[in-house]
Amino acid sequence: MANPHPMAALWRGGLLESTHLGHAVICDANGIVDAWGDPATVIFPRSSCKMLQALPLLETGAAAAVGLTDRHLAFACASHQGAHLHVDMASRWLADLGLSEADLRCGAHEPYDRTERDRLIKSDESPCQLHNNCSGKHSGFLTVTQHLKAGPEYVEIDHPLQKAVKAAFEEVTGEASPGYGIDGCSTPNFATSVAGLGRAMAAFAAARDTGSLRERAMYRLTRAMATYPELVAGEGRACTELMRAMGGKVALKTGAEAVFVAILPEQGLGIALKITDGGTRAAEAAIAALLVRAGVLEADHPATRKRLNAVLTNWRGLKTGVFDAAPGFP
Amino acid sequence: MANPHPMAALWRGGLLESTHLGHAVICDANGIVDAWGDPATVIFPRSSCKMLQALPLLETGAAAAVGLTDRHLAFACASHQGAHLHVDMASRWLADLGLSEADLRCGAHEPYDRTERDRLIKSDESPCQLHNNCSGKHSGFLTVTQHLKAGPEYVEIDHPLQKAVKAAFEEVTGEASPGYGIDGCSTPNFATSVAGLGRAMAAFAAARDTGSLRERAMYRLTRAMATYPELVAGEGRACTELMRAMGGKVALKTGAEAVFVAILPEQGLGIALKITDGGTRAAEAAIAALLVRAGVLEADHPATRKRLNAVLTNWRGLKTGVFDAAPGFP
């Protein structure tokens, strides 16, 4: 069992101020190609596994039955900003199903999008469940639930939808999940190893649109995410900006507590990483570093430089520090 | 050189999700009493050293010359919320000096206080430098600058004020500072070891109001902080809530990138800690754990339980995890 590997660091005044450790794997269809830290470490993928949680949406035939587009599929894999775009998308999707915001089980929180946040404050409106960053995933969950004619409490661990998610999750990661936790949006989140999550991403990368039902589902979800980066996160966010910087060739997804995954179809590679302390800034730097190393992201692209070899400035615009990959990583 | 020590951890669904490492010392007037990790680790104290940066305010006679109260002194050591209370305090202090917001050099940022934030948004007002969490420290800096008849650029490294800060900082930490960085508020922040910062806190703890000029300054700043916890941070914040929980017997201060210090006059102890990854939640859990161990904070006080052995819930009120000190710490 290897110790976690230094992955990112903050320098101030030429001195090291903070450091982040983590575990990471790069996998192809045959397994691990490269690893840092301990690939056997059990983690919660959190939102980084939304494309796995979306497999039943396609595999049950629910998406086809209601004519979902690739935009819906990208949104089902999103941790979005709660911008008008996202709230509108969730609202229309639910209306098309004959459902409403009250059918969601994700809870409400203030949107990350500043414009929508300020609009709510100015109009004395409370945020609703449509603003929840997971409302796209939950709209997908409700689509499957309706298709299966299952009960309304679709986040319960023994609900047919969650049983289908767990089965797909374990098959694609290639591991029996050692347990689950409850996520911020109330959904069960199944644990797996960093290696299992990396294998799953490699399976998505290798999937062909002429393959099995599962392969076709993985193929379509990957393309949907890479084609609509603004639906997967939002303006200013790492997933959106880095996917745009790679021109739709790579699908990316972050998860809470500093998980990040990437699907590289042209290379047939999947990447998964977890920063042990849960620091998102480090997960963003580490995934950017691995994507640069893989030759799919430019080191000097503004979206990269915002997160890797990033110059930090303060409220008066003075340079205060540099946030970068740890020396020697990757 | 010891490795950093596990100090805090997040559990979800009975599994370990994230962990934080750090360095900590407990010192008395003779030096280190207890240590975890490596006390020689060089850190930036960031805002945790505001009581050191405030020493020239008393020692130059500037505070006495303009009749500053203990409320002013607590506010000079603050990283505040930018609530109405704080903005008003900074505004009046500057007016009393014949100065204004434009004389500050801390920059402007959105206040952390929700009520004040929402008021600004509703009235289409931009935040100003009074809202900066460091505007109290900068009001103190301007008081010294005016008293010394020095130039207006008081955050420059060769300004007489910063020279006085550096001299006091090195004398009280007992170390030559190995360098400095620029803080978020544009002030030079002098580096020291974790041991140096702990020694400084022990010196504050041991200071008597009948001692030297420096001792009297340290005595007064400690009591000012412990007496006015709402001025040092604000509602909902760790420094304020934990100082209240200890009934004014301990002075606490957090710093960015997960530094925390405590001054325990009755015990004659000083505590300093740094979480290596910069995670504030871990610094709060670790300082709470050390204060419980020292017998000055109740383990079951609501302010403690918000940060140590804390039950985490999601947007729908479901229990999702537990954040606590790492097993075996302290």
Side-chain angles (χ1 to χ4, degrees):
Chain A
M1 194 180 118
N3 287 325
H5 191 88
M7 289 198 178
L10 170 63
W11 281 266
R12 183 179 301 269
L15 297 171
L16 181 66
E17 180 165 25
S18 297
T19 55
H20 297 269
L21 311 176
H23 307 284
V25 293
I26 302 179
C27 296
D28 66 12
N30 298 315
I32 296 174
V33 174
D34 263 309
W36 296 261
D38 183 4
T41 303
V42 170
I43 63 168
F44 287 107
R46 307 292 299 275
S47 289
S48 78
C49 73
K50 277 176 173 161
M51 73 295 280
L52 288 162
Q53 293 173 311
L55 287 172
L57 180 58
L58 287 160
E59 295 178 358
T60 60
V66 296
L68 295 190
T69 66
D70 280 359
R71 296 185 79 242
H72 290 94
L73 297 182
F75 193 53
C77 300
S79 299
H80 65 72
Q81 293 282 80
H84 176 73
L85 167 75
H86 306 116
V87 174
D88 189 55
M89 180 104 194
S91 176
R92 285 170 191 266
W93 187 343
L94 293 173
D96 288 345
L97 296 174
L99 299 173
S100 76
E101 184 265 0
D103 294 301
L104 294 170
R105 295 290 181 270
C106 50
H109 65 76
E110 186 171 84
Y112 310 139
D113 180 78
R114 286 272 175 134
T115 305
E116 179 66 3
R117 182 199 73 169
D118 290 359
R119 187 192 69 75
L120 290 173
I121 290 169
K122 286 186 180 185
S123 60
D124 281 320
E125 271 182 65
S126 295
C128 69
Q129 295 190 87
L130 300 171
H131 292 100
N132 187 304
N133 74 91
C134 300
S135 67
K137 177 175 80 173
H138 283 250
S139 298
F141 282 172
L142 279 167
T143 306
V144 182
T145 298
Q146 194 175 66
H147 187 73
L148 297 176
K149 299 183 171 49
E153 301 307 325
Y154 62 87
V155 295
E156 301 284 334
I157 186 71
D158 56 357
H159 189 276
L161 165 68
Q162 297 304 336
K163 288 184 177 175
V165 168
K166 186 184 181 198
F169 184 90
E170 293 188 329
E171 286 160 19
V172 182
T173 58
E175 292 176 4
S177 170
Y180 72 98
I182 301 301
D183 213 330
C185 70
S186 297
T187 304
N189 194 257
F190 299 104
T192 187
S193 67
V194 177
L197 189 59
R199 273 196 300 272
M201 295 307 111
F204 272 78
R208 294 161 304 153
D209 60 349
T210 54
S212 65
L213 176 65
R214 169 143 303 155
E215 277 204 74
R216 296 197 306 277
M218 294 195 292
Y219 179 92
R220 198 169 161 205
L221 287 165
T222 302
R223 272 66 186 178
M225 291 175 69
T227 306
Y228 298 104
E230 71 279 10
L231 292 175
V232 175
E235 299 311 321
R237 291 271 301 279
C239 286
T240 298
E241 292 188 347
L242 293 173
M243 281 200 279
R244 280 182 184 150
M246 295 183 289
K249 295 188 172 185
V250 174
L252 285 184
K253 188 71 195 73
T254 189
E257 294 295 323
V259 182
F260 230 114
V261 299
I263 305 167
L264 290 68
E266 289 184 10
Q267 290 74 17
L269 297 175
I271 303 176
L273 68 85
K274 158 82 180 177
I275 301 296
T276 55
D277 60 68
T280 296
R281 62 183 182 181
E284 294 182 0
I287 196 74
L290 290 172
L291 293 167
V292 168
R293 180 178 183 267
V296 292
L297 179 66
E298 289 175 26
D300 284 331
H301 192 287
T304 313
R305 287 298 304 275
K306 194 167 153 185
R307 293 156 181 107
L308 185 69
N309 193 12
V311 175
L312 308 181
T313 56
N314 69 9
W315 311 111
R316 290 172 72 217
L318 301 178
K319 175 179 170 176
T320 54
V322 174
F323 195 79
D324 202 1
F329 179 78
Chain B
M1 192 180 121
N3 287 323
H5 191 88
M7 289 198 178
L10 171 63
W11 281 266
R12 183 179 302 269
L15 297 171
L16 181 65
E17 182 167 24
S18 297
T19 55
H20 297 268
L21 310 176
H23 307 283
V25 293
I26 302 180
C27 295
D28 67 12
N30 298 314
I32 296 174
V33 174
D34 263 309
W36 297 263
D38 183 5
T41 303
V42 170
I43 63 168
F44 287 107
R46 306 294 296 277
S47 288
S48 78
C49 72
K50 277 175 172 161
M51 73 294 282
L52 288 162
Q53 292 173 312
L55 286 171
L57 180 59
L58 287 159
E59 295 177 0
T60 60
V66 296
L68 296 189
T69 64
D70 280 358
R71 297 185 79 241
H72 291 95
L73 297 182
F75 194 53
C77 300
S79 299
H80 64 72
Q81 293 281 80
H84 175 73
L85 166 75
H86 307 116
V87 174
D88 188 56
M89 180 106 194
S91 176
R92 286 169 190 266
W93 187 344
L94 293 173
D96 287 346
L97 296 174
L99 300 173
S100 75
E101 183 264 359
D103 294 301
L104 293 170
R105 294 292 181 268
C106 51
H109 65 75
E110 185 170 83
Y112 309 139
D113 179 78
R114 287 273 175 132
T115 305
E116 179 65 3
R117 182 198 73 171
D118 291 0
R119 187 191 70 74
L120 290 173
I121 291 169
K122 286 186 180 184
S123 60
D124 282 319
E125 270 182 66
S126 295
C128 70
Q129 295 190 89
L130 300 172
H131 291 99
N132 188 305
N133 73 92
C134 300
S135 67
K137 177 176 78 173
H138 284 250
S139 297
F141 282 172
L142 280 167
T143 305
V144 182
T145 298
Q146 194 175 64
H147 187 74
L148 297 177
K149 299 184 172 45
E153 302 307 325
Y154 62 86
V155 295
E156 300 284 335
I157 186 71
D158 56 356
H159 189 277
L161 165 68
Q162 298 304 335
K163 288 184 177 176
V165 167
K166 187 184 182 197
F169 184 91
E170 292 188 330
E171 286 160 18
V172 182
T173 58
E175 292 177 4
S177 171
Y180 73 96
I182 301 301
D183 214 329
C185 70
S186 298
T187 305
N189 194 257
F190 299 103
T192 186
S193 68
V194 177
L197 190 58
R199 272 195 302 271
M201 295 307 111
F204 272 76
R208 294 161 305 154
D209 60 348
T210 53
S212 65
L213 177 64
R214 168 142 303 154
E215 276 204 74
R216 295 198 305 276
M218 294 196 291
Y219 180 91
R220 195 166 164 207
L221 287 165
T222 302
R223 271 66 184 178
M225 291 175 70
T227 306
Y228 298 104
E230 71 280 9
L231 292 176
V232 175
E235 299 310 320
R237 291 271 300 281
C239 287
T240 299
E241 292 188 347
L242 293 173
M243 280 199 280
R244 280 183 184 152
M246 295 183 289
K249 295 189 172 184
V250 174
L252 285 184
K253 188 70 194 76
T254 189
E257 294 295 322
V259 182
F260 230 114
V261 299
I263 304 168
L264 289 68
E266 289 185 10
Q267 290 75 18
L269 297 175
I271 304 177
L273 67 86
K274 158 80 181 179
I275 302 296
T276 54
D277 60 68
T280 296
R281 63 183 182 181
E284 294 182 0
I287 196 72
L290 290 172
L291 293 167
V292 168
R293 179 178 183 267
V296 292
L297 178 66
E298 288 176 26
D300 283 332
H301 192 287
T304 313
R305 287 298 302 276
K306 194 168 156 184
R307 295 157 179 104
L308 186 68
N309 193 12
V311 175
L312 307 181
T313 56
N314 70 8
W315 311 111
R316 292 172 71 216
L318 301 178
K319 175 179 169 175
T320 54
V322 174
F323 195 78
D324 202 0
F329 179 78

